[in-house]
Amino acid sequence: MRPPLLLLLLFFSLLPRADGRGELRAFVVAHSHMDVGWVYTVQESMHAYAANVYTSVVEELMKGKQRKFIAVEQEFFRLWWDAVATDMHKQQVHQLLQEGRLEFVIGGQVMHDEAVTLIDDQILQLTEGHGFLYETFGIRPQFSWHVDPFGASATTPTLFAMAGFNAHLISRIDYDLKADMQKNKKLQFVWQGSPSLSERQEIFTHVMDQYSYCTPSQIPFSNRSGFYWNGIAVFPDPPKDGVYPNMSLPVTDTNIHLYAQTMVANIKERAAWFRTSDVLWPWGCDKQFFNASVQYSNMDLLLDYINKHSDEFGVTVQYATVGDYFQAVYNRNLTWEIRDSQDFLPYSTEPFQAWTGFYTSRSTLKGIARRASSLLYAGESFFTQYVRKHPASSICKCRALRQLQSLRWAVSEVQHHDGITGTESPKVKDMYMNNLMYGMFNVKKLMASIIMDMNNAKKNGEVYSSIHINDSGIPGAPDVDQYVVVYNPLAWNITTFVAVSVSHLEMSVYDELGHSVPAQVQSSAESHSTYDLYILVEISGLSYRKYNVKPLNGKQRAFTGRSVKYKRKDITRADQQNRQLLPVVNNCYQVLLDQNTNLMHSITERETNQTVQLTQEFLEYHVNGDVMKGPISDNYLFAPNASAVPVSKAVGLEVVSGNLMTEIRQYFYSNVTSQDYIYAAYTRMYTVPEGYDGKLLCHRIEQEYSVGPLELNREAVLRTSTNLNTRQLLYTDSNGYQIQKRPFKAYVNNTVARNYYPMVQTAYIEDDTTRLMLLAERAHGVSSQGNGQVEVMLHRRLWNNLQWDLNYNLTLNDSSVVRPVIWLILGTKSVTDILYRTSGLALEHRPVVMFGALSDKPKLPGQLQQNSVHSSPVTVPPNLHLQSLSIPGWRYSSNHAEQVHSIRMGKQKEGDADFSRVLLRIRHLYEVGEDPVLSQPVMVNLKSLLKGLGSVVVVEERSLTGTWDVNTLKRWKWKTARYPSKGFSNSTETSENCTVTVHPKEIRTFFVYFQGQ
């Protein structure tokens, strides 16, 4: 949460009744906005206020049958439930839920950010929370409350529809757009967030008015805020005497009429902005209701008073949940406008406040969050296959599940809208990082122990004396055979390179059968004492392979990369006439380097012989840190005070070439004589030998950058300039799910910053024939500030003297070095369409590499392969993605009546997790009409897909988060001009005999049960 800098002055005026719709009815929704991180850690928040919210709200709701409350973030609720709530509290929660007076909205672990999160992680955090709520209470949230994310994505409403929601609520959209929608009563609409799924997954959406989710606090008869009778939360400890700062005046006989007038005036002002006479009146704000007693006792008096004088006021008021409000609007039976798949990004609060800086803030955290997500994805499928294939395993399954759960929790937590966004204080960033690292360590340990178990380490004289996953490469005991174990977490066969750090230049690599494997070793760009070994791996879907790495024994040696260093060039004085061009070539591309500048000159796509002029340079935006001198940049905001300036005057070049790979190393210096470079770019191109499927590898130009430490108040971008006539039109992905069109817009103020967009996985520019695609492994801000240009913001380091930022330690003095990776793909639209979905996922889910030492030679080469997962791959066609394969461990019944009955009888299954239920999700990667072949629906036989895991006996199709049987899920169908009848929409045709047809953009979720369970 972050209030706008200028508090709007509120003028209360009694407006005439809204156009003949009868008496106004206000729905007073009590809530507390509880950031899972931001300024304070989760532990600090639990101690200072969050535990008290649930304790006091539950106790107070029991004291008045009319009182209600909505609960949002499950991370706080679960911590309270597990560690604080008494048995009496737990009983009361069950009762309040049954009475509909406590309502869980969203139901995810957090209120996720919508700009920089990946669809997988949005689904994960929602599923985590929903699984807990359904298992514990048998309830399934049906409404969203996305009041604080900084802009709204079109992917989120689609996911909420797939999860069974009936309505979606958002708040933060562009200030000028909101004013316009408010004036024209267009804040409510039916949103078809996905062009391909359109009305099947549409959802009614409510945009909050200008007052947003906090109660308007200015009251004319007091200089204290109004309606916040419990005051403001205090850190680190709640005050002993219970007196908090800024507690509103208690309601008394002398001021109750003034309070009522103020509240009614605000209700009437808001009613004029909506089409029905139902008014949503949020009561609460950040960190509220830690003393619910004083809150409700005052509001009870006020609501009673207004209702007793409703003839005079023309308003009735009632405590309500979000569900009560949406039910009332639904019952009006109005016809609503349809909004297409356009999102509400970027987001500005004022002319010079574009919230586009957070797309890049804390790039290291963004990178680790995605690596953690990818490792979790690999660990889930690895463990699921292990449990299915090795029922009598030596590994404790419950402990293994706890290891996975620690990473599920950490990855869910960081999706919070002040987490992965980089808008938190340094200590909260450390909390996220520590939780992610701890979860990753647990999952790496689990994967290593599974490999040891599957290779009978114990029985074979400690074959695996060590298995570890680290980033430092192979430990250097020369007399021991080193093994590299590589797991492919994707459900496709992959051919790719894995890089391993080694201590010798002369190495040989062999597979399980003792055959030589193509590899290349070369000096490391980063370290003078080690070498980089690139191994060409070919691995089936969801399988692993082992490679034996030996110091050279004369016969089959890895290729060696030869280095040529070129003289550092002064790019300010380059000779433009006599260009000397240096070619770097593989089977797909020829890259030309300009030897006068050591910069890239052009790329030719060899199949079509199409050449694109292409140069890349690093630039920095200089930004202001003094609020007295103008707009500032901070964690959230990007406010450049001029165009970006080039950072280097001189570029050094080294080209390392070998039979399998060429690496172009460019070093950027502030001037010709500087000792140290400030930026570096490493560009890799691969040549795949005959007999290997090198299509994806050959078609990508991999780039890795080294950026930082930056000077203060600098924002670093990589600008790629081409001669493509793009008309400044940019395309970016929405959460890795779909593509948004981003035409350049001119504004009176702040045009540069307001044309920045989030790139979660993909961005591209194109002309009539050719497209240049960028694929990323973490989120960045991206923009096209000129024709044929695309620039990616890689890093930010900021400090300012805004008191608000300083009070909360929210300046972004990030002195780290970041190393983001971007893959470039150049080609015709039809070729790039085929390549980029699979390539984007190949970058997201790179193989997991583990190292083991074999101290005892196995008798037969085949012995290592006998238990390998490799024997039964899981593969889907190239237009489908295996979105999830996991064992959630939930103990709930798939039959809703049964689940509710067992909870009412107090018979929820305690004890061990359920290992028999496998969660499977399959996603179609293409839009309708995007590709003549790949956009077709696909039939999948789940029995044959999963035959390697055992014999499938039951498949149940479920809603996105697993809590609904799709056959019983009936969502509200809101009336639109296109679909004039109101009713319920059924989601999908279900599977006959385990065969399903997956249509474009669908995500289908199943529970799968196997024989012998």
Side-chain angles (χ1 to χ4, degrees):
M1 151 74 188
R2 166 181 185 155
L5 298 184
L6 301 173
L7 280 171
L8 296 168
L9 288 171
L10 313 177
F11 298 103
F12 294 112
S13 57
L14 286 174
L15 298 168
R17 287 198 199 172
D19 45 8
R21 295 166 296 173
E23 189 171 73
L24 296 180
R25 183 160 59 139
F27 293 77
V28 178
V29 177
H31 76 99
S32 179
H33 182 69
M34 300 159 76
D35 283 305
V36 182
W38 182 36
V39 176
Y40 302 103
T41 66
V42 168
Q43 292 69 28
E44 288 174 322
S45 298
M46 281 298 287
H47 175 72
Y49 83 95
N52 291 339
V53 171
Y54 289 115
T55 301
S56 74
V57 163
V58 168
E59 289 169 1
E60 289 306 309
L61 290 179
M62 296 308 292
K63 294 178 187 169
K65 279 286 182 216
Q66 76 287 10
R67 295 173 172 179
K68 296 188 176 187
F69 189 80
I70 61 165
V72 188
E73 300 83 1
Q74 286 310 298
E75 177 159 334
F76 281 127
F77 182 81
R78 290 173 72 172
L79 290 170
W80 175 79
W81 183 260
D82 290 341
V84 181
T86 62
D87 288 347
M88 174 61 95
H89 287 140
K90 291 184 176 184
Q91 244 173 298
Q92 291 170 339
V93 169
H94 280 282
Q95 182 187 331
L96 292 166
L97 287 167
Q98 276 181 39
E99 293 172 2
R101 298 200 295 115
L102 176 65
E103 179 176 78
F104 286 111
V105 293
I106 310 177
Q109 286 291 92
V110 298
M111 185 186 295
H112 70 251
D113 166 69
E114 299 191 36
V116 298
T117 47
L118 193 60
I119 183 174
D120 311 50
D121 303 327
Q122 295 187 5
I123 295 171
L124 170 76
Q125 73 85 22
L126 205 56
T127 303
E128 268 296 283
H130 285 192
F132 163 77
L133 287 173
Y134 194 57
E135 183 171 86
T136 313
F137 306 113
I139 63 142
R140 304 174 283 205
Q142 290 176 20
F143 303 98
S144 99
W145 180 258
H146 257 228
V147 298
D148 203 30
F150 320 135
S153 144
T155 300
T156 300
T158 305
L159 292 189
F160 285 163
M162 291 180 185
F165 285 19
N166 287 318
H168 178 39
L169 183 148
I170 61 177
S171 181
R172 291 183 179 271
I173 65 171
D174 256 344
Y175 69 100
D176 39 8
L177 178 61
K178 181 178 277 199
D180 190 59
M181 291 169 77
Q182 206 166 263
K183 195 174 77 194
N184 296 305
K185 296 190 185 186
K186 291 190 187 293
L187 291 169
Q188 294 170 316
F189 46 85
V190 170
W191 197 353
Q192 296 183 350
S194 159
S196 295
L197 300 174
S198 64
E199 75 276 2
R200 283 184 302 146
Q201 299 296 354
E202 69 187 16
I203 192 165
F204 181 80
T205 303
H206 171 105
V207 184
M208 286 184 144
D209 59 47
Q210 69 190 43
Y211 293 107
S212 194
Y213 65 85
C214 290
T215 315
S217 64
Q218 267 150 322
I219 48 176
F221 52 91
S222 164
N223 55 6
R224 285 192 237 165
S225 61
F227 310 101
Y228 295 99
W229 292 284
N230 60 193
I232 296 169
V234 174
F235 287 78
D237 301 307
K240 297 268 188 293
D241 58 3
V243 177
Y244 285 82
N246 203 14
M247 294 170 80
S248 301
L249 286 177
V251 174
T252 61
D253 289 348
T254 52
N255 67 19
I256 193 164
H257 189 73
L258 296 170
Y259 257 123
Q261 277 181 321
T262 303
M263 184 169 174
V264 166
N266 184 254
I267 289 165
K268 288 183 172 177
E269 183 186 10
R270 293 163 110 150
W273 299 327
F274 292 93
R275 290 180 57 201
T276 78
S277 53
D278 314 297
V279 180
L280 177 65
W281 205 78
W283 175 38
C285 196
D286 291 44
K287 308 180 192 64
Q288 281 294 309
F289 284 87
F290 47 84
N291 178 353
S293 162
V294 61
Q295 288 282 83
Y296 282 111
S297 57
N298 281 284
M299 189 58 97
D300 285 350
L301 298 171
L302 188 51
L303 299 190
D304 283 349
Y305 182 85
I306 292 173
N307 287 336
K308 282 204 184 80
H309 299 86
S310 61
D311 286 353
E312 175 194 338
F313 288 126
V315 169
T316 60
V317 285
Q318 66 193 70
Y319 287 118
T321 62
V322 179
D324 294 336
Y325 170 72
F326 280 125
Q327 183 75 61
V329 176
Y330 181 66
N331 290 345
R332 298 279 176 191
N333 209 6
L334 298 185
T335 300
W336 300 97
E337 278 187 14
I338 291 174
R339 180 181 177 86
D340 65 12
S341 58
Q342 191 56 47
D343 62 12
F344 292 96
L345 288 163
Y347 161 62
S348 290
T349 39
E350 288 176 25
F352 284 102
Q353 291 189 357
W355 295 45
T356 56
F358 81 89
Y359 302 158
T360 307
S361 296
R362 298 203 193 283
S363 178
T364 303
L365 175 64
K366 285 176 164 65
I368 294 282
R370 286 273 280 276
R371 273 183 49 197
S373 161
S374 165
L375 179 67
L376 176 63
Y377 175 78
E380 295 279 16
S381 64
F382 202 60
F383 176 66
T384 302
Q385 293 183 84
Y386 175 72
V387 168
R388 289 295 319 124
K389 294 173 183 178
H390 299 264
S393 65
S394 66
I395 289 177
C396 166
K397 289 190 296 198
C398 292
R399 179 158 174 264
L401 190 61
R402 282 198 301 275
Q403 289 173 307
L404 285 165
Q405 281 165 339
S406 70
L407 190 51
R408 290 176 190 170
W409 184 282
V411 173
S412 296
E413 175 185 78
V414 79
Q415 306 312 316
H416 168 62
H417 58 266
D418 284 301
I420 195 165
T421 51
T423 55
E424 64 284 279
S425 65
K427 67 180 173 186
V428 174
K429 180 258 302 178
D430 293 341
M431 174 196 80
Y432 293 128
M433 288 289 258
N434 291 340
N435 292 347
L436 289 165
M437 299 308 264
Y438 173 71
M440 289 169 81
F441 175 72
N442 281 334
V443 170
K444 288 171 176 180
K445 221 161 53 174
L446 170 62
M447 293 179 79
S449 54
I450 288 175
I451 288 178
M452 284 179 70
D453 189 60
M454 297 217 293
N455 288 285
N456 302 326
K458 304 288 176 286
K459 298 163 204 151
N460 204 352
E462 291 295 317
V463 176
Y464 271 84
S465 53
S466 68
I467 276 272
H468 51 277
I469 306 187
N470 64 8
D471 303 321
S472 62
I474 293 184
D479 52 334
V480 177
D481 271 7
Q482 302 291 347
Y483 272 80
V484 178
V485 182
V486 185
Y487 177 60
N488 167 24
L490 290 165
W492 302 312
N493 301 337
I494 63 162
T495 304
T496 192
F497 280 94
V498 296
V500 177
S501 195
V502 293
S503 51
H504 303 280
L505 188 55
E506 304 202 317
M507 307 293 282
S508 308
V509 183
Y510 301 94
D511 67 12
E512 302 93 336
L513 300 173
H515 299 143
S516 175
V517 174
Q520 179 171 320
V521 66
Q522 60 195 42
S523 65
S524 163
E526 290 300 295
S527 151
H528 297 301
S529 57
T530 61
Y531 300 93
D532 293 333
L533 173 65
Y534 287 84
I535 305 170
L536 183 63
V537 299
E538 253 191 324
I539 313 178
S540 313
L542 267 51
S543 304
Y544 76 84
R545 291 194 60 180
K546 293 185 228 56
Y547 298 91
N548 184 199
V549 178
K550 301 179 177 185
L552 188 63
N553 53 8
K555 296 191 287 292
Q556 299 276 352
R557 57 178 294 166
F559 299 114
T560 308
R562 305 275 171 219
S563 159
V564 180
K565 290 193 167 83
Y566 295 85
K567 197 165 158 264
R568 195 187 298 187
K569 291 295 160 66
D570 181 342
I571 55 177
T572 59
R573 291 230 214 28
D575 179 354
Q576 298 302 322
Q577 298 336 98
N578 308 319
R579 280 229 164 94
Q580 295 206 301
L581 300 176
L582 172 71
V584 176
V585 185
N586 73 359
N587 297 334
C588 297
Y589 299 116
Q590 170 178 278
V591 171
L592 292 180
L593 298 166
D594 182 342
Q595 291 195 269
N596 293 339
T597 60
N598 287 340
L599 294 173
M600 210 179 271
H601 170 268
S602 62
I603 303 179
T604 303
E605 205 274 318
R606 294 182 63 190
E607 201 179 333
T608 57
N609 209 20
Q610 191 88 23
T611 297
V612 174
Q613 306 291 317
L614 187 148
T615 57
Q616 291 184 307
E617 58 178 338
F618 292 104
L619 302 99
E620 287 174 352
Y621 286 99
H622 293 206
V623 296
N624 165 43
D626 183 353
V627 286
M628 303 314 289
K629 291 184 179 162
I632 52 148
S633 272
D634 65 9
N635 295 33
Y636 309 83
L637 308 176
F638 173 39
N641 50 21
S643 300
V645 290
V647 292
S648 69
K649 295 199 169 74
V651 180
L653 175 67
E654 179 184 3
V655 178
V656 182
S657 46
N659 294 35
L660 301 178
M661 182 187 88
T662 302
E663 184 172 59
I664 302 162
R665 299 172 179 173
Q666 291 164 297
Y667 302 97
F668 295 79
Y669 298 87
S670 50
N671 59 54
V672 181
T673 55
S674 306
Q675 287 299 302
D676 299 318
Y677 58 86
I678 37 176
Y679 289 79
Y682 308 102
T683 303
R684 291 183 274 272
M685 289 165 64
Y686 299 103
T687 303
V688 183
E690 286 295 306
Y692 287 86
D693 174 12
K695 190 170 134 192
L696 283 188
L697 258 180
C698 174
H699 272 100
R700 68 178 180 242
I701 297 172
E702 292 187 6
Q703 293 196 313
E704 184 175 351
Y705 316 103
S706 171
V707 181
L710 300 178
E711 289 176 42
L712 267 180
N713 291 325
R714 299 284 189 269
E715 318 216 12
V717 300
L718 173 79
R719 182 176 291 166
T720 303
S721 305
T722 70
N723 62 343
L724 297 175
N725 180 20
T726 62
R727 301 175 186 86
Q728 246 177 303
L729 179 58
L730 175 69
Y731 296 83
T732 66
D733 70 316
S734 169
N735 311 108
Y737 178 63
Q738 58 195 30
I739 296 290
Q740 291 273 347
K741 200 172 180 173
R742 309 292 194 189
F744 189 87
K745 296 177 185 160
Y747 295 94
V748 179
N749 298 307
N750 219 14
T751 294
V752 170
R754 288 187 83 173
N755 279 285
Y756 255 80
Y757 294 93
M759 164 194 190
V760 178
Q761 221 172 25
T762 312
Y764 63 86
I765 53 173
E766 63 184 21
D767 63 10
D768 298 336
T769 57
T770 309
R771 180 184 288 168
L772 173 69
M773 307 229 44
L774 282 65
L775 302 173
E777 38 74 81
R778 69 187 72 179
H780 299 279
V782 63
S783 187
S784 178
Q785 297 284 339
N787 189 26
Q789 276 183 8
V790 56
E791 66 179 54
V792 180
M793 191 179 287
L794 300 176
H795 201 12
R796 323 177 68 218
R797 184 180 181 188
L798 308 166
W799 188 88
N800 66 69
N801 57 7
L802 175 66
Q803 208 46 53
W804 189 88
D805 278 338
L806 295 176
N807 290 350
Y808 289 130
N809 200 2
L810 289 178
T811 59
L812 190 69
N813 192 354
D814 181 351
S815 59
S816 63
V817 176
V818 297
R819 304 192 56 96
V821 172
I822 287 180
W823 290 359
L824 307 179
I825 299 176
L826 180 74
T828 61
K829 294 180 189 184
S830 54
V831 167
T832 52
D833 255 343
I834 293 168
L835 293 171
Y836 90 89
R837 310 253 176 203
T838 36
S839 298
L841 284 157
L843 174 56
E844 189 65 40
H845 298 297
R846 286 167 287 186
V848 177
V849 179
M850 294 167 268
F851 305 106
L854 275 170
S855 48
D856 180 28
K857 301 285 185 293
K859 312 290 179 288
L860 300 163
Q863 192 169 356
L864 267 174
Q865 219 184 352
Q866 64 195 11
N867 289 328
S868 166
V869 183
H870 197 51
S871 50
S872 48
V874 178
T875 51
V876 295
N879 49 357
L880 296 186
H881 170 48
L882 191 77
Q883 180 90 30
S884 316
L885 181 68
S886 68
I887 294 177
W890 304 312
R891 298 184 293 264
Y892 61 68
S893 165
S894 300
N895 178 309
H896 184 61
E898 216 171 86
Q899 173 65 4
V900 170
H901 180 72
S902 70
I903 287 171
R904 298 247 159 113
M905 304 306 289
K907 289 184 188 154
Q908 294 113 297
K909 295 183 198 144
E910 288 302 320
D912 281 357
D914 176 1
F915 290 94
S916 66
R917 173 188 287 146
V918 170
L919 172 72
L920 169 73
R921 286 194 191 94
I922 296 175
R923 161 155 66 114
H924 197 302
L925 294 172
Y926 284 80
E927 297 282 1
V928 170
E930 189 177 351
D931 182 89
V933 178
L934 296 169
S935 292
Q936 296 303 316
V938 189
M939 277 181 77
V940 183
N941 184 316
L942 300 181
K943 269 191 171 161
S944 60
L945 175 68
L946 300 174
K947 65 178 183 293
L949 279 72
S951 174
V952 172
V953 285
V954 179
V955 172
E956 301 165 348
E957 181 154 11
R958 308 291 292 184
S959 61
L960 182 70
T961 58
T963 53
W964 292 87
D965 171 345
V966 291
N967 298 303
T968 61
L969 173 56
K970 301 268 190 284
R971 294 198 310 119
W972 296 353
K973 183 87 184 146
W974 297 71
K975 260 171 53 172
T976 59
R978 235 176 284 170
Y979 307 98
S981 64
K982 190 180 94 168
F984 297 99
S985 67
N986 214 339
S987 60
T988 170
E989 86 280 3
T990 50
S991 44
E992 291 301 312
N993 67 18
C994 297
T995 299
V996 292
T997 302
V998 188
H999 293 273
K1001 281 295 163 200
E1002 282 187 338
I1003 302 175
R1004 303 285 286 276
T1005 304
F1006 306 94
F1007 288 164
V1008 182
Y1009 303 87
F1010 294 86
Q1011 201 163 2
Q1013 294 192 333

